[in-house]
Amino acid sequence: MSVLTLVAAVAENGVIGRGDDLPWHISSDLKRFRAITWGKPILMGRRTFESIGKPLPGRTSIVISRDAGFLPPAGVRVEGSLDAALEAGARVARELGVDEMAVIGGAQIYALAFPHARRLRLTQVHASPEGDVHFPRFDAGEWREASREGPFQGEKDEYPFSYVDYDRV
């Protein structure tokens, strides 16, 4: 069975986005994101996919959309509901021989997926930028902090950040 992991960079004020973009540039987080998701199915909403603009290499993209007019590029799977995407993601994970699939956004998909998630892989951004997209609030009592690294701030990172992983209790 595949573990469902939510992967996100979250500011101190809960912000994860501004419009269709990230409200920061943290090069180190993008490298971690790539390492966490490489070789796995990634689930996302249509707007998140459109903001990325293309399928991410080395991963199987599964886009959740009810928009019948949405025509993704070849190789991108589209599912009409979270449940269908979870089934497709589990099937792809088995085919690839991996035990994890990752939800990568946006806010509505994170909120829908939260009850199914077993792991959170968060980059805590130590700033409070303006934004209009927020990560769902969650009950810390339902989660155990499995690891914490940082704070860091690389040369190409706009804000300091820490990596914090949680497992569902």
Side-chain angles (χ1 to χ4, degrees), residues 4-41:
L4 183 64
T5 300
L6 305 187
V7 180
V10 184
E12 291 170 348
N13 58 359
V15 165
I16 59 172
R18 181 171 42 231
D20 288 336
D21 206 358
L22 295 172
W24 49 68
H25 180 76
I26 301 176
S27 181
S28 300
D29 177 56
L30 297 175
K31 291 174 185 163
R32 180 179 193 243
F33 173 83
R34 183 176 193 247
I36 288 171
T37 60
W38 191 262
K40 298 174 185 164

Side-chain angles (χ1 to χ4, degrees), residues 6-12 14-16 24 26-33 36 110 120-127 135 148-149 152 157 159-166:
L6 305 187
V7 180
V10 184
E12 291 170 348
V15 165
I16 59 172
W24 49 68
I26 301 176
S27 181
S28 300
D29 177 56
L30 297 175
K31 291 174 185 163
R32 180 179 193 243
F33 173 83
I36 288 171
Y110 284 133
L120 305 177
R121 309 273 320 253
L122 303 182
T123 298
Q124 290 184 338
V125 179
H126 302 299
F135 194 73
R148 177 180 291 268
E149 298 176 59
F152 306 109
D157 300 326
Y159 298 115
F161 59 92
S162 297
Y163 299 134
V164 186
D165 293 344
Y166 297 90

Side-chain angles (χ1 to χ4, degrees), residues 48-132:
T48 297
F49 178 80
E50 289 174 342
S51 73
I52 295 169
K54 62 182 180 190
L56 295 174
R59 291 150 276 202
T60 302
S61 296
I62 301 171
V63 177
I64 303 161
S65 178
R66 292 182 305 259
D67 181 351
F70 173 63
L71 300 172
V76 173
R77 297 174 186 229
V78 178
E79 298 294 343
S81 70
L82 176 67
D83 287 340
L86 291 172
E87 288 177 24
R91 200 168 36 253
V92 169
R94 277 193 307 276
E95 291 167 5
L96 295 172
V98 297
D99 64 354
E100 184 177 48
M101 55 185 162
V103 172
I104 64 166
Q108 290 178 334
I109 303 302
Y110 284 133
L112 289 171
F114 232 96
H116 305 279
R118 306 302 314 153
R119 187 176 299 139
L120 305 177
R121 309 273 320 253
L122 303 182
T123 298
Q124 290 184 338
V125 179
H126 302 299
S128 293
E130 290 188 26
D132 56 356

Side-chain angles (χ1 to χ4, degrees), residues 147-158:
S147 68
R148 177 180 291 268
E149 298 176 59
F152 306 109
Q153 185 167 10
E155 202 173 284
K156 296 181 180 180
D157 300 326
E158 187 174 355

